[in-house]
Amino acid sequence: MTRRVVLALLLALAVLVPAAHAATGTGTTPTLPNQFTPKGGPAQLNEKRVTAIFLRDDKVADWLDRYPRRDLVTDATFDKDRRDWGIGVWSSSAGEIATGRIDDETGAVTEAWTGPQVAWKMARGSSGAFGGREINSLPIWLGLCAIFLIGLADFRKPLTMRNLDLVVLLSFSVSLWFFNRGNSFTAVPLAYPPMAYLLARMVWSAWRGGPERGRPLWPVWLLASATVFLVGFRLGLNVRSSNVIDVGYSGVVGANRIVNGQSPYRHMPREGSLKACGSADAEGEIRDRIQTNGRCESADERGDTYGPVAYESYIPGYLLFGWSGRWDKLPAAHATALAFDLLALLGLALLGRRFGGVRLAATLPFAWAAYPFTQYVSSSNTNDAIMPVFLIFGFWLVTSAFARGAFLALAGWTKFGALLLVPLWGSYPEARRFSGKGVFAAGFAVATAAAFSVLLLEPSPAHAARVFWDRTFGWQVGRDSPFSIWGWGQYHAAGIPDLGSFQQLAIALLLAGAIACYFVPRRKTPLQLAALTAAVLIGFELTLTHWFYLYIPWFFPFVAFVVLAASRRRAETVPAHDDAERELVPAGPEARA
């Protein structure tokens, strides 16, 4: 019987294979696929034909219609190894404006990139480029959104500001959806209305002192159980299906340099004319080079743009898991991302317990665990959870001027935007009779000295300080990016509005607001401190030339605290341990003066 079955299958194949060839519409032997075409053979197409095919592509033609045709220059080059053509289009006024690849055998356009996609691969719409495919899949993303909203919304009073705030926090997902499809000119503007709304809500909450926000629906034990489940899910998602982008790779390299007696600044792996020690990637580029230390390392020349704490925080992970020198799975980056994700949960639990009791201690960690953008950070294994973790712990210890100053310094020397909080956090009233501003400054100074001790590893610390400035502030101030409305001036020739002149006004307003937070409100409560902290961080992000979704968790813990903290009535009736807890919400207009 078995032999008969095998013979029948062979007979079927003998009939189906010729039939399949006949179905191609030709009676000739089909052309071999590209991978079987002998390398080094002549091209079947020519430059003129390839150019015509590329310019007729709908996406390319639509973008090029924005430019005068007389100003366009094209160039096409045949790649014998890939058996395809690389083609570029330049404008005399805007540089390269389109690029792509065309298959030599079929004449099909296999790649077509226009606008920001030409120079920025992250703008090309790969949904798994940040965090891997699972976190970007609709079932997981929408599932987290649903858990977040169901767990925190007040369904007994659906038309409340609390519910609207939660929906707005999730609405960044719409912008991300367009970004994952390579539509930056739609994705970028959609990120600004939610940030503008949250900025206004935080300022309003600081001024009004926190109106009632609705009643919680679920019991504490259920929120705590859901958080435990979500934590396990998040850990599994990071370990099983995540990637490490350049930010996480830079952290591991920086930790390696520090442990080996070097400052991270101007000591990152580079390409240049160094000897190659690896194979070429899909773009034909060899990133693995023999560095001056004799190791074969993957290049990351601009990885030294962050504060020193961003690299020091990776040292424990590096000491545990090491680094191969390559941009591989990087277990040290995974370990660091997971550690700070867990520290955020712990800090929020402590913060909630101090200022809102058991319920808020369960609610805030649940909010972090269910919010999809915090998992987006974890799955991308970046350093974007480090700064908010330091701020969370500084807020938890808010009545200690030294701790508040020290944690703020650690946050600021991780992501520089947190330095804008110095006037606000430095003006927070102490539970003791003396102001404590000198103690705050001392804590800030001690943590700053510890952070910058890495510069002492260099032969000339003064020169190392200049290098630090050039590689961080000096570079970031002048960088360009299509991921904010401020960086679109480079596409003005294509009809995209140039709003760069308004950026300076926005920065001036941000600086004025950050300084004003030192004086107003005169007597700050924890809720007002949280609201203004969120407002300053959101304002900073609104002015950035390079903005990304990974930055949302910077302000999320403080927005969540303001939205989910106890209502005024409960805050005024629950006994408190000190003046900070007792004054969670101000009772009269004097506190808002």
Side-chain angles (χ1 to χ4, degrees), residues 97-169:
I97 57 177
T99 187
R101 306 202 71 86
I102 296 176
D103 185 78
D104 181 61
E105 178 187 355
T106 64
V109 179
T110 57
E111 295 182 17
W113 310 118
T114 60
Q117 298 172 335
V118 174
W120 293 81
K121 293 181 181 179
M122 62 186 286
R124 296 181 178 181
S126 174
S127 61
F130 293 87
R133 294 193 177 276
E134 287 200 26
I135 183 58
N136 288 282
S137 66
L138 282 178
I140 291 181
W141 191 273
L142 294 180
L144 288 173
C145 289
I147 294 172
F148 179 82
L149 194 59
I150 293 172
L152 300 175
D154 183 1
F155 292 100
R156 287 172 289 214
K157 293 181 179 179
L159 301 179
T160 61
M161 294 302 296
R162 169 194 175 112
N163 290 349
L164 179 59
D165 295 340
L166 296 174
V167 171
V168 171
L169 282 169

Side-chain angles (χ1 to χ4, degrees), residues 369-403:
Y371 193 49
F373 285 99
T374 60
Q375 181 58 43
Y376 194 64
V377 167
S378 176
S379 289
S380 299
N381 290 284
T382 71
N383 59 18
D384 291 285
I386 299 175
M387 183 262 275
V389 164
F390 287 131
L391 291 179
I392 289 169
F393 278 92
F395 193 89
W396 172 51
L397 299 173
V398 68
T399 53
S400 169
F402 187 90

Side-chain angles (χ1 to χ4, degrees), residues 477 479-487 503 543-547:
V477 169
R479 74 181 303 190
D480 207 355
S481 170
F483 302 113
S484 76
I485 58 176
W486 315 117
Q503 185 181 22
T543 66
L544 287 176
T545 300
H546 182 80
W547 181 88

Side-chain angles (χ1 to χ4, degrees), residues 70 89 158 161 173 250 305 307 330 393 487 513:
R70 64 180 180 275
V89 183
M161 294 302 296
S173 304
S250 301
T305 187
L330 294 168
F393 278 92

